[in-house]
Amino acid sequence: MLRNGLQAWHIIVLLVIIVLLFGANRLPGMAKSVGESLKIFKREIKDLSEDDKPADKPADPSEPKA
């Protein structure tokens, strides 16, 4: 059935169904919501990857300051 993968007409049919289900008025709000969610997700991934990096060497209080 789907041996040839996703084709252009599949995407067009999906877009038509989405517009019919949700209506053209609600789609911009949904797109904004998805965009904000992706921003939050990317920020959290970045924070997690920064947590994995080793911290800088803590300053030794016995060393003289320059």
Side-chain angles (χ1 to χ4, degrees):
M1 184 168 144
L2 289 173
R3 286 191 334 219
N4 294 334
L6 193 63
Q7 296 177 357
W9 69 271
H10 291 123
I11 296 171
I12 293 170
V13 170
L14 285 173
L15 289 174
V16 169
I17 290 172
I18 289 170
V19 169
L20 288 174
L21 285 176
F22 296 107
N25 295 334
R26 290 182 54 193
L27 288 178
M30 289 173 56
K32 181 180 177 184
S33 175
V34 168
E36 290 173 354
S37 298
L38 284 175
K39 279 185 195 178
I40 293 169
F41 181 73
K42 287 179 183 179
R43 185 172 57 229
E44 292 298 324
I45 293 295
K46 183 180 176 186
D47 290 344
L48 285 175
S49 66
E50 289 175 357
D51 288 346
D52 291 341
K53 293 180 183 175
D56 292 338
K57 187 173 104 178
D60 189 3
S62 64
E63 291 182 8
K65 293 184 180 179

